[in-house]
Amino acid sequence: MSNEFYLSNPLVHRDRRLGNMPTAWAKQFGCTDIRPLIICRGPIRKEAMDVFVEMGITHFGILLSEKDSIVYRNAIAPELRSLTHPDRIHRVPDYSGADKGEREQRIKQIINIARDNNYNAIFAGYGFMAEDEAMVAAMEEAGLTFIGPCSRTVHDAGLKDEAKRTALKCGVSVTPGIDNGTALTLLKKHPDVKALQALVAEHKLAVDAAILSDTSVSLEDKADLVLGASYKSGIDLYTVDELCVTLTEAVGTMTADYPSNRVRLKAIGGGGGKGQRILGVGESARTAELVREILNEVKTTGVGDNKNVLVELNIETTRHQEIQVIGNGQWCMSMGGRDCSLQMHEQKLLEVSVTVESLKRAIEQSEASGQAQETQVLKQDLATLTAMEREAEVFGEAVGLDSVSTFECIVDRDKHFFMEMNTRIQVEHRVTELCYSLKFSNPDNAEEYFVVESLVEAMILIAAHAKKLPRPERITRMNDSVEARLNATNQALQPHAGGVIESWSDAIEGEIRDDQGISLHNPDTDVFMKYTLAGAYDSNIALLLTVGDTRLETYERMAETIRQTRMRGKDLATNLEFHYGLVNWFIGQNINARPTTRFIVPYLTAVGELKQRANDLDIQYAYKHICRATLGEAEGDAHTALAETLQRKESLLLRPLTELLQEPHMLSGWLSVNRDCYTVIEGKICWNENPLELLNDTYHFLNMDYVCGDSPPAAVMIWDHDNAILQSALSFYAELNARVGSEDWLELCSILDSNDPPKGLDADLWHRVRNSHRGFQAGTDIIALLPSIAEATGFYDLTVNLDLSIHIPERLAEEKLQATMAKVLVPPPVASSDEILSESGGMFYSRETPAHDVYISEGDHFNAGDPLFIVEVMKMFNKVYAPFSGTIAKVLVETDGSIISKGQTIFKIIPDEIAVEVSAEDVAAQRLAATNNFLQHL
């Protein structure tokens, strides 16, 4: 079978059967009696299935949601390709339910499935229910082993308000804000102990009367106690409107105290980007609107739901870092950190390991190169990591952590603040387990031990054996690792569901590819099987990881992995090109750069500017102009020969350039790693490197290298006749460099400018050499089109400072330009002036919540910026705002929950102003002017 690096990568696959170990001490930790039911989806489901098999666990099953295949037909779970026993596949409407009632029903259904099918354990992975305290408690009460933190830990650490209170008690620094909005709301209506006691009596709530009378307990904590009892009884003691008033007041107070900072609103049970919104400076009036959005998104709008929302100061220059922790209820230890700052809309994109070993290596390299500021920052990062790891262990012990969890922090220069603890395994857990393994040794005999390299395996061991497990030793595997989330998003990183993957190249050596089983080939034909990307849950397709001894080596391997990846399909959009551009941006700038969580949108805006400029250039016109200028005063046979040469080289030169002009993320990466290849002198682009060697590198960068045979197809590689010209040129210059002893391109050009032959070459040969040089270089001026785009847009203004912070030009932070460039990267569907179209597919909602009025009705007038409808796509609720002013003539989609497609007409409208369309002639004139401007700089 092919695809061996996917099927049997030794970095993630091994024999984990402890029952086969040579010592009795190790054998006792075998887990073959565990019979788990997997109740999550995504790559973690496939990973768990693999780990179970490798541990010798033979009886396990999965839940299979019908939601994906209903929303997107034929979106069948690829795990079914390996789990072929129908009695181990259990169908449910969805994984968590739409509200509290459905959630409780789903929990009962899971328990019944487990009992009826002889499962004794539940694995929830990083699914949304993994941090549901009620679900975990129900599994425990049913006698099922929950493979993850117990319900007490989930309550104390997983609920964001409880976690912040625990952190304060432990001496862990937290972000300024309030975590008890619901308690404050209740105390407005029932302001003292006597009123709370009366409330308890009125609703017959199960509250310990002694605690209510205890003067050492704060009034706010007593209010929280009453609220907790009300949630268990399924009643509301406050309304959402009342809560919104309290939170609006809290936002106002925070804005007054920190006038230059934005404010973050965060549901206590959110996660993975859900249930969070940021209020801009001066937007406190929108608090109620965003609170309702949050509650709707995390599905806590029902009677008896805990609707608490945290109000936190948004640290504007923050980096998002997290510490992996693991414990068994008696001991707790950290396993290094991960930097997750490269994210957008709270969705992580690229996650990088942060380890003591890596930072020490980086410090050594920085000191050796004399980079004083960089060294200082790296040393501070090492001190911050050490402090966060220590606090994570203290916090884990305080909450009795008995599985794996993540201690999440924000880092602001030399300060850090605890945000929350995620009481589940994280999507990016592989980043940690590739850097560290756990060595469990017999306390009575150090010669008896076993090593665990999988966090999923560690979770199962703790669930099965808990306190019998001794505290392990942390062992270094690799210094660095990085993970890129391959998502179904367009070039502006907006969700794009429903596409079909028709082909996907095999994983290469050094690539770790985690998917849902999409890459499993047909067992009979060994051919990739088509897969429809569902959109009911999230946009993730796969997780791509690489490792190395240094961060630079790790990034270079990631760049090579993405370079060699070929993925094709119908209506398919992914962020693969984005990752290629981003990884190469860091390689070209400084691999130790410290981006904040606000980096990606300005970076995307810069890429949009590249695309806008590229759209304005006519490469065919430019090449023809260059050809005319090159022919110049050539006459007779010389003119004919040179004209033929330029014609033969047209496809050689223009194919890779056209590809880069069409793919702005690829262009970003190319410009980043080739910044030193040219110099601008008096407004002209002058090459520091042989343009033909650069062209050869460009074909390689685009994965268009020449390969003999029928694979890959000619459309995706350099054509054979073009390759013959290029290889002939490279051989010529290699021989010439050897003959004349030149060290670099500039020196060689200086030698070639002279009529006098260098030592060892006669005049006739030198004449022919110089003519060959002119022929080989003819037409290569067109390559300057690429750096000219960077110079015209100020692309290199986005740069890494000496202190590793990133300089973001003011223009790239302007919201208007950001929105404009997003539309350049992904032009909205072409609409008539009398209609509003959906820019993406998904589930349609006409109102904030079922209790609210619709945003807009037939006959209503709307202004630019007014909300019109909501599209739920890939677990996120995206509010759609009016791009201009007008009146609704007809509503074409009315039913909430309707599935809509990209480009579907939602409203017929009467615009206040008729849009003026730009004519094709005007567009052509604009391109001509931009191209002539480029030609003037050659």
Side-chain angles (χ1 to χ4, degrees):
M1 295 289 284
S2 62
N3 217 3
E4 59 179 300
F5 296 114
Y6 172 78
L7 297 171
S8 56
N9 191 322
L11 285 171
V12 294
H13 294 294
R14 60 180 292 207
D15 188 342
R16 308 179 195 275
R17 293 173 295 177
L18 294 180
N20 291 350
M21 294 290 285
T23 67
W25 180 82
K27 286 179 183 288
Q28 69 174 316
F29 295 106
C31 296
T32 53
D33 57 339
I34 294 288
R35 302 184 301 278
L37 173 64
I38 305 171
I39 64 169
C40 57
R41 65 181 300 280
I44 189 65
R45 179 161 66 187
K46 170 68 165 54
E47 180 186 346
M49 290 166 59
D50 289 342
V51 171
F52 293 161
V53 171
E54 290 162 1
M55 294 181 74
I57 298 170
T58 57
H59 185 83
F60 61 87
I62 67 171
L63 284 192
L64 187 63
S65 165
E66 297 173 354
K67 190 173 180 181
D68 269 345
S69 56
I70 290 172
V71 176
Y72 295 96
R73 293 190 327 172
N74 302 320
I76 299 173
E79 297 93 336
L80 301 184
R81 298 169 182 175
S82 59
L83 188 64
T84 56
H85 303 288
D87 57 343
R88 286 159 58 183
I89 301 162
H90 312 283
R91 288 169 172 78
V92 291
D94 68 7
Y95 295 104
S96 60
D99 53 30
K100 183 178 180 180
E102 283 191 17
R103 193 158 57 248
E104 291 174 348
Q105 181 183 10
R106 193 72 65 251
I107 291 169
K108 291 177 182 177
Q109 188 176 5
I110 291 170
I111 292 172
N112 289 333
I113 289 172
R115 285 173 172 167
D116 294 344
N117 295 275
N118 197 29
Y119 301 117
N120 62 6
I122 301 295
F123 181 80
Y126 44 70
F128 205 51
M129 290 187 75
E131 295 180 275
D132 189 316
E133 178 194 355
M135 191 276 288
V136 177
M139 299 302 154
E140 293 168 346
E141 291 170 8
L144 296 168
T145 297
F146 184 73
I147 303 173
C150 66
S151 58
R152 179 217 158 194
T153 299
V154 172
H155 178 272
D156 291 351
L159 296 179
K160 293 174 176 53
D161 50 359
E162 292 289 342
K164 290 192 76 170
R165 292 165 203 161
T166 302
L168 287 168
K169 292 174 184 176
C170 296
V172 173
S173 59
V174 300
T175 49
I178 69 162
D179 53 34
N180 58 349
T182 48
L184 296 176
T185 302
L186 185 65
L187 289 173
K188 285 184 177 181
K189 301 165 65 177
H190 309 279
D192 52 36
V193 172
K194 186 176 180 180
L196 292 176
Q197 290 171 331
L199 188 65
V200 168
E202 176 187 353
H203 294 284
K204 299 177 181 177
L205 300 176
V207 177
D208 189 336
I211 297 178
L212 287 182
S213 302
D214 189 342
T215 57
S216 67
V217 179
S218 71
L219 187 61
E220 288 84 0
D221 285 348
K222 291 173 181 176
D224 271 322
L225 188 66
V226 173
L227 286 169
S230 74
Y231 302 143
K232 291 181 180 178
S233 298
I235 62 173
D236 280 343
L237 299 180
Y238 57 87
T239 66
V240 172
D241 288 343
E242 291 168 343
L243 174 63
C244 286
V245 171
T246 301
L247 297 179
T248 300
E249 292 170 354
V251 169
T253 301
M254 184 162 289
T255 299
D257 293 340
Y258 303 94
S260 61
N261 284 69
R262 298 181 298 167
V263 176
R264 182 181 296 270
L265 303 173
K266 186 162 60 177
I268 62 164
K274 290 187 71 171
Q276 298 192 45
R277 295 292 188 275
I278 294 179
L279 283 163
V281 175
E283 290 188 340
S284 58
R286 295 189 63 207
T287 302
E289 171 197 348
L290 297 189
V291 167
R292 291 190 176 94
E293 282 187 21
I294 288 169
L295 297 177
N296 197 36
E297 194 165 82
V298 299
K299 298 180 172 62
T300 54
T301 56
V303 176
D305 285 341
N306 186 345
K307 303 175 181 65
N308 199 12
V309 173
L310 277 64
V311 177
E312 292 181 343
L313 183 71
N314 194 64
I315 309 297
E316 300 299 332
T317 57
T318 180
R319 287 186 285 141
H320 180 175
Q321 295 198 351
E322 58 191 30
I323 304 298
Q324 180 66 58
V325 284
I326 183 170
N328 74 338
Q330 291 183 326
W331 49 260
C332 179
M333 64 179 291
S334 62
M335 296 182 65
R338 300 181 289 258
D339 192 305
C340 306
S341 303
L342 292 169
Q343 55 181 263
M344 182 174 171
H345 305 320
E346 312 297 333
Q347 296 292 306
K348 300 169 186 174
L349 296 164
L350 194 77
E351 296 113 335
V352 192
S353 62
V354 183
T355 67
V356 170
E357 293 79 8
S358 173
L359 284 170
K360 286 182 176 179
R361 173 73 72 88
I363 289 169
E364 290 174 3
Q365 293 174 335
S366 181
E367 286 178 330
S369 60
Q371 302 292 330
Q373 289 191 54
E374 181 170 326
T375 300
Q376 183 179 356
V377 172
L378 291 170
K379 286 182 175 179
Q380 178 57 57
D381 279 356
L382 180 57
T384 299
L385 173 63
T386 303
M388 290 193 298
E389 289 206 66
R390 181 177 61 251
E391 291 180 5
E393 292 183 355
V394 170
F395 185 89
E397 290 175 0
V399 298
L401 180 62
D402 56 351
S403 188
V404 302
S405 288
T406 305
F407 184 83
E408 304 221 9
C409 298
I410 52 178
V411 178
D412 183 13
R413 300 179 182 89
D414 60 344
K415 298 181 179 63
H416 67 277
F417 304 93
F418 168 70
M419 280 199 305
E420 62 193 32
M421 176 170 269
N422 286 327
T423 52
R424 55 175 168 82
I425 196 165
Q426 292 280 85
V427 174
E428 60 274 17
H429 66 277
R430 287 265 203 224
V431 173
T432 291
E433 66 184 37
L434 288 167
C435 290
Y436 294 118
S437 60
L438 297 172
K439 181 181 179 181
F440 292 88
S441 300
N442 185 345
D444 300 321
N445 182 357
E447 297 298 317
E448 297 181 344
Y449 66 87
F450 60 88
V451 175
V452 173
E453 295 181 348
S454 160
L455 285 172
V456 171
E457 179 185 4
M459 292 174 70
I460 299 164
L461 279 167
I462 293 171
H465 302 290
K467 297 176 182 179
K468 283 200 304 181
L469 283 167
R471 181 186 177 95
E473 177 187 357
R474 187 169 91 178
I475 305 295
T476 302
R477 297 182 70 192
M478 302 298 297
N479 286 345
D480 287 273
S481 64
V482 63
E483 174 180 282
R485 297 196 188 190
L486 177 58
N487 295 335
T489 56
N490 59 29
Q491 290 190 335
L493 302 188
Q494 300 157 342
H496 183 97
V500 180
I501 303 175
E502 296 178 331
S503 67
W504 188 357
S505 55
D506 290 351
I508 66 169
E509 186 174 5
E511 171 188 353
I512 298 132
R513 181 188 298 178
D514 274 342
D515 63 15
Q516 300 172 244
I518 301 170
S519 295
L520 288 172
H521 290 185
N522 184 307
D524 297 320
T525 63
D526 194 24
V527 172
F528 180 87
M529 294 183 281
K530 293 181 182 180
Y531 177 67
T532 300
L533 295 170
Y537 292 101
D538 61 54
S539 61
N540 186 241
I541 299 171
L543 310 170
L544 307 178
L545 297 103
T546 53
V547 297
D549 289 331
T550 64
R551 181 171 287 189
L552 177 59
E553 182 179 313
T554 303
Y555 270 62
E556 287 174 341
R557 287 179 176 174
M558 177 59 73
E560 181 62 13
T561 292
I562 300 173
R563 185 190 74 83
Q564 293 196 45
T565 298
R566 297 187 192 276
M567 182 180 282
R568 298 286 184 273
K570 180 181 179 182
D571 190 28
L572 180 65
T574 76
N575 63 350
L576 193 66
E577 291 84 3
F578 159 79
H579 279 303
Y580 195 42
L582 183 70
V583 168
N584 278 293
W585 189 89
F586 281 102
I587 292 173
Q589 287 278 348
N590 187 329
I591 209 65
N592 291 320
R594 298 306 191 238
T596 71
T597 53
R598 302 187 72 180
F599 170 74
I600 289 296
V601 174
Y603 169 77
L604 273 182
T605 304
V607 175
E609 289 181 326
L610 294 179
K611 178 63 174 174
Q612 185 178 54
R613 182 67 177 178
N615 289 344
D616 285 342
L617 295 171
D618 187 333
I619 191 172
Q620 294 286 345
Y621 170 83
Y623 188 69
K624 289 177 182 177
H625 181 97
I626 289 170
C627 289
R628 287 196 298 270
T630 302
L631 289 170
E633 297 179 0
E635 298 178 350
D637 292 344
H639 184 282
T640 302
L642 188 55
E644 182 182 349
T645 296
L646 288 166
Q647 183 179 8
R648 289 180 62 204
K649 292 172 67 176
E650 180 174 350
S651 59
L652 169 67
L653 292 165
L654 299 195
R655 282 187 70 218
L657 270 61
T658 300
E659 180 76 12
L660 287 169
L661 294 178
Q662 292 173 347
E663 293 288 347
H665 289 294
M666 307 279 275
L667 178 57
S668 168
W670 188 94
L671 290 170
S672 299
V673 296
N674 289 301
R675 174 63 186 90
D676 295 332
C677 290
Y678 74 96
T679 303
V680 178
I681 301 175
E682 297 181 354
K684 311 292 183 182
I685 291 172
C686 304
W687 294 111
N688 302 325
E689 181 179 323
N690 187 337
L692 289 167
E693 292 179 355
L694 181 59
L695 182 65
N696 185 59
D697 291 343
T698 301
Y699 272 103
H700 181 73
F701 181 86
L702 294 171
N703 198 21
M704 295 176 69
D705 300 300
Y706 181 73
V707 180
C708 294
D710 298 329
S711 182
V716 296
M717 69 176 180
I718 186 173
W719 292 336
D720 52 2
H721 55 277
D722 288 339
N723 184 61
I725 296 172
L726 182 57
Q727 296 309 313
S728 176
L730 295 176
S731 297
F732 168 80
Y733 286 108
E735 175 68 17
L736 182 57
N737 279 319
R739 291 282 194 98
V740 302
S742 62
E743 296 292 331
D744 57 41
W745 175 245
L746 295 180
E747 181 183 0
L748 181 62
C749 288
S750 177
I751 295 171
L752 286 164
D753 283 342
S754 173
N755 290 323
D756 299 328
K759 185 179 179 180
L761 278 73
D762 59 38
D764 179 63
L765 178 57
W766 185 239
H767 176 73
R768 287 187 286 124
V769 164
R770 295 180 72 208
N771 283 340
S772 295
H773 166 65
R774 294 189 189 97
F776 281 129
Q777 292 297 321
T780 58
D781 282 344
I782 191 65
I783 302 174
L785 193 70
L786 302 179
S788 78
I789 295 173
E791 295 297 328
T793 63
F795 177 72
Y796 295 120
D797 295 342
L798 183 67
T799 187
V800 177
N801 299 318
L802 292 176
D803 66 356
L804 299 181
S805 64
I806 297 178
H807 171 68
I808 298 176
E810 289 185 10
R811 75 177 192 282
L812 299 180
E814 295 174 1
E815 292 186 3
K816 184 176 181 181
L817 181 64
Q818 291 173 350
T820 300
M821 290 304 103
K823 291 183 178 180
V824 169
L825 288 171
V826 184
V830 178
S832 301
S833 59
D834 65 343
E835 59 188 11
I836 298 286
L837 307 184
S838 175
E839 293 188 13
S840 71
M843 194 169 288
F844 168 88
Y845 295 98
S846 62
R847 64 195 82 207
E848 196 77 56
T849 70
H852 283 76
D853 294 332
V854 297
Y855 286 121
I856 200 87
S857 300
E858 189 171 315
D860 288 349
H861 182 270
F862 58 88
N863 293 313
D866 286 350
L868 297 179
F869 59 97
I870 290 172
V871 179
E872 180 188 7
V873 55
M874 293 177 164
K875 83 176 183 178
M876 301 300 291
F877 283 71
N878 303 287
K879 192 175 290 185
V880 178
Y881 297 93
F884 48 78
S885 301
T887 302
I888 301 294
K890 188 172 182 59
V891 177
L892 299 178
V893 180
E894 296 181 334
T895 306
D896 287 344
S898 298
I899 303 302
I900 58 176
S901 58
K902 178 180 179 180
Q904 182 174 338
T905 305
I906 308 300
F907 304 112
K908 282 290 187 179
I909 57 101
I910 302 170
D912 287 355
E913 297 180 7
I914 303 298
V916 178
E917 295 186 10
V918 180
S919 69
E921 291 77 12
D922 289 341
V923 172
Q926 181 177 332
R927 296 187 73 202
L928 186 64
T931 308
N932 282 327
N933 182 63
F934 153 70
L935 292 168
Q936 290 173 10
H937 291 83
L938 291 179

